[in-house]
Amino acid sequence: MRVYSLSDQPSTPFEAAVSILSRPGSHAGIYGLAGSAAAFITAAAVRAGAPRTLVLVLPEGEAARVTAEDVRFYLGGKRTTEQPLLDDVILYPSSDTLPYSFVGLEGEVGVGRMTSLYRLAEAVAPRVLVVGLDALVRKVLPLSALRRNSFSLRVGDELDREELLRRFVGAGYARAPLVEDVGDFSVRGFIVDVYSPLYPYPVRIEQMGDLIESIRFFDPASQRSIKDVAEIQICPVHMLVPDESELDSGLKLLLERCDERGTEKRVRQRLLDDFRHGVRFPGAESYLPYFFTSPETLLDYLPRESTLVLPDMDTLGRALEDVEEEIFRGWESAAEDGLPAPNTDELYLSGAELIRRIRDFRTVVAAALEVEDPGRVSVRVPCTPNSDIRQALLRAGSYDSGMSGLVKRLHRWRDDGIEVFLVSHTQGQAHRLIKLLEPYALRLDFRGEGFDQDNLDGPPTPGIRLYIGELSAGFRMKHAGRVVLTEEEIFGSRVRTSPKKRARGSALFTLADLAEGEAVVHEDYGIGIFRGLAKKEFDGVTGEVMVIEYSGGDILYHPVERLQVVQKYVAGSEEPPRVDRLGGKGWAKTKAKVRQALRDMAKELLDLYAKRQIAERKPYSPTDEAFATFEAAFEFEETPDQAAAIQDIMESLDSDRPMDRLVCGDVGYGKTEVALRAAFRAVMDGKQVAILVPTTVLAQQHYDTVSRRFQGYPITVDMLSRFRTSAQIKEALEKLRTGKLDVVIGTHRLLAKDVEFRDLGLLVVDEEHRFGVAHKEKIKQFKTHVDVLTLTATPIPRTLNMALSGMRDLSLIETPPLNRKSIRTHVVRLSDEVIRDAIVRELSRGGQVFYIHNRVRSIQRRAAALAALVPEGTFGVAHGQMGDRELERVMLDFVTGKINVLVCTNIIESGLDIPRANTMIIERADTFGLADLYQLRGRVGRSNVRAY
């Protein structure tokens, strides 16, 4: 390791920049940075022996999170899970909630902030602390209050248990029957469990009398012990932990502010009761200035020797203006609603105050563009961003130019003596890259997980090294002989997925599924109306029976013990069913017709699949480099189920028999990409591909996806739907007939008689159950001579039965994506301020909102009221009683962004994938079942943006 001293004379700008960060000195500037170069230099400074904490201040919270990951990668990779108090890099997290929104800090945010403050207070400061500007200006509990409520527990200590429990309550912990979340504690005999924010697992403390006999971590899911420890630290779990005198004085101040604002009596009383009883309701920390007369900031916790690394002053000034404007808007809204919110200067640092405070520290400006400042020692580190590389790699017309262009650059960099670092997020993508580069004799050095920190020291070592880790962007620093290139800069955007599978479940019919007045079907007597339960006596035995009414007022009393012969009536339309006559011949005739129809269908299907078994076609050509490059450009790392489905399809295409495969998986699990792999192979083999979807909106969504995935390849894509003009449809049909169109996406228009293909090779059917009988008959005709791939999240019983019986091939995709951040769920009282804050917050970050109002009769009035409450939004209404075309138009407007707030019923609970929609407000959530709420919740959080 190279350590710079005051006598060192750095020979390169990179070494000079490292020297500036790693040793005391005057205010300085490092300019010319790009990508993750600032994180690279920061990590090098830590390796070079930076004396105290380097505090990286970013304009906003997401940039802070990304930078923290970058620095962590360069310092070796993963955060320390067993001993988080020893992490070299910690993030002081920002909140996604609006100032004064009173919905509270999310769990991860509160835990991250308390952990950071504790480490700084107890002199176990990290080497690098990363913070967003919005978090830096928010005031926190005084250092004295944190230390007063922090303590350690050691094996062998004597401690009165009642005193221990009082200390937990004083530090903001809540007693619970079972410890599951941070901030819980429970007591069982001589065992005390507690979940401190400082550790990834809760702690079990066993006492013998007043003596602590053992301390061990345990798994909150299984409640089993993980590891014994000798000592643990406990810190406050909330910012708001006043003592008795602070609580009394705080309540008086709160009452005074309530009088000033004219706060409603019920709101005032609720606040007072909650604070008196120690209830930490969502947003309670926003009242912190009333209970601590001198709240502090993160700056008060920092060691005086810390170095603050800032963006350039222009960027800092603009970001401060944005933060101050958002704070004022939040306060203004709270004040207008009569809430006793603290004034902005009580809860936040002003921009001017922040600038004054940071001058107490040594500051280093790290920026792309150099700004003249006579008070700073500056060095220019010439870096080049990699933003141009992806376009340069694909600039040539041939689809394989990306890989050949990359290889040329890698050869040139290696021959010039440059050390090249390639970074992949996952093991699978790293091995794919190795396979793609294998034919080019590049001598790739695969290092696996964890960046070699020795690469930060001294001169570069020429070569090409491949690592696995999280890195936001690369850069080129040729004067220092280093190039860092991420997989996004080679293949495009990337998202991670989870190897975990969703637990399987089954849906069983129970009496809870039935409501009085609903239709049921009895195996022996046919369709009747369920009239509830009753008690009847038969042969001296009293039992409970189902009361089912049939035509003519006849009543059937059916024992609940034989529930299996009765099922809920389900139909494809909303028309009420025709009720049978009890004991009549109508039900027997219906069953006979169904049996004959089933026999006819079975015969037809057997004939169809017999023809398929003897049908032959030429096997597809083997996959090549072009296919591997296409695979590598996929935005997601394939889940195990996806990879298995793709392998199944590839094997089917390798055979000489037409494929008929059902791919079954939940919405968002990657079925479309599986189909696109097959489509790419078919097109590259000279075949045409048709993708059939049930609605125009889905057709547009698939068209956008397919066009994006096939960009840069010699593949033509078009769409047939009623949103295309007659001229456009005529042109597309002609191209299909002559073979100039490779992939066509369309609704049932694809099944019309005037649609002719020159050489159709693959038909992809999305959600087959949404098509009518006539359409399915047309689809069957394709199955005798082309490959058919059916995608569905909810297969109809017949299709699923055929797959399970072996008549059709089946691939299941059960692995959910993990790239998406967990969805924050808040249960709050219905209020206009919460609704407005939530909608405005989402719109301010360019997102869209679902507002669920499950009453068709009043939905238009509710939409009008919301439009008046949030005039910034553009509103649309959707419900099941609308006409098909009107509903599709509204949904299309929402998908394309013309509408940013959709007021709707639960009609959207299993619908489109709209990544921009990341806030959902469910009115009267108590009227929904848990399954409904779960399905609705799944409509948001379908991208890498936090959803609420």
Side-chain angles (χ1 to χ4, degrees), residues 57 284 297 340 626 706 947:
V57 180
T297 68
V706 174

Side-chain angles (χ1 to χ4, degrees), residues 77 203 294 331 638:
V203 173
S294 299
W331 176 85
E638 294 92 341

Side-chain angles (χ1 to χ4, degrees), residues 320-462:
L320 274 173
E321 288 178 5
D322 292 342
V323 169
E324 286 188 304
E325 182 181 350
E326 194 172 70
I327 291 170
F328 179 74
R329 283 206 318 267
W331 176 85
E332 196 174 41
S333 176
E336 287 175 358
D337 293 332
L339 295 176
N343 294 326
T344 57
D345 60 338
E346 295 174 316
L347 190 57
Y348 295 91
L349 281 178
S350 67
E353 179 68 8
L354 177 67
I355 296 297
R356 187 188 67 77
R357 292 288 308 277
I358 63 178
R359 287 178 182 149
D360 296 338
F361 299 87
R362 177 177 181 252
T363 60
V364 174
V365 173
L369 300 177
E370 187 166 0
V371 179
E372 290 187 11
D373 187 344
R376 293 186 184 275
V377 176
S378 64
V379 58
R380 186 174 184 278
V381 183
C383 294
T384 307
N386 288 332
S387 55
D388 63 319
I389 283 188
R390 175 65 179 158
Q391 290 303 316
L393 296 182
L394 291 175
R395 196 162 291 147
S398 173
Y399 55 82
D400 64 349
S401 61
M403 197 51 58
S404 58
L406 173 65
V407 169
K408 288 177 183 177
R409 286 176 180 248
L410 292 175
H411 273 298
R412 186 171 71 248
W413 288 332
R414 189 192 63 190
D415 295 343
D416 289 345
I418 290 175
E419 188 171 20
V420 180
F421 306 118
L422 304 179
V423 183
S424 283
H425 290 318
T426 64
Q427 188 92 12
Q429 191 68 2
H431 285 298
R432 178 175 292 150
L433 186 57
I434 292 171
K435 184 178 179 181
L436 288 170
L437 296 177
E438 198 171 20
Y440 298 100
L442 283 166
R443 298 193 300 277
L444 195 65
D445 182 8
F446 180 43
R447 297 295 184 91
E449 295 187 28
F451 188 75
D452 292 333
Q453 297 181 54
D454 291 342
N455 293 320
L456 300 168
D457 308 324
T461 304

Side-chain angles (χ1 to χ4, degrees), residues 154-210:
R154 302 176 188 84
V155 174
D157 282 355
E158 286 194 20
L159 183 65
D160 178 67
R161 190 179 60 163
E162 294 305 317
E163 173 63 21
L164 175 62
L165 302 186
R166 281 195 293 272
R167 297 192 74 174
F168 284 152
V169 172
Y173 292 80
R175 190 161 183 167
L178 201 64
V179 170
E180 296 177 300
D181 298 315
V182 172
D184 290 345
F185 78 91
S186 70
V187 182
R188 299 187 310 281
F190 287 98
I191 296 176
V192 178
D193 294 345
V194 64
Y195 206 151
S196 168
L198 302 176
Y199 302 100
Y201 296 105
V203 173
R204 181 158 291 156
I205 304 160
E206 258 187 274
Q207 289 182 281
M208 182 66 71
D210 289 340

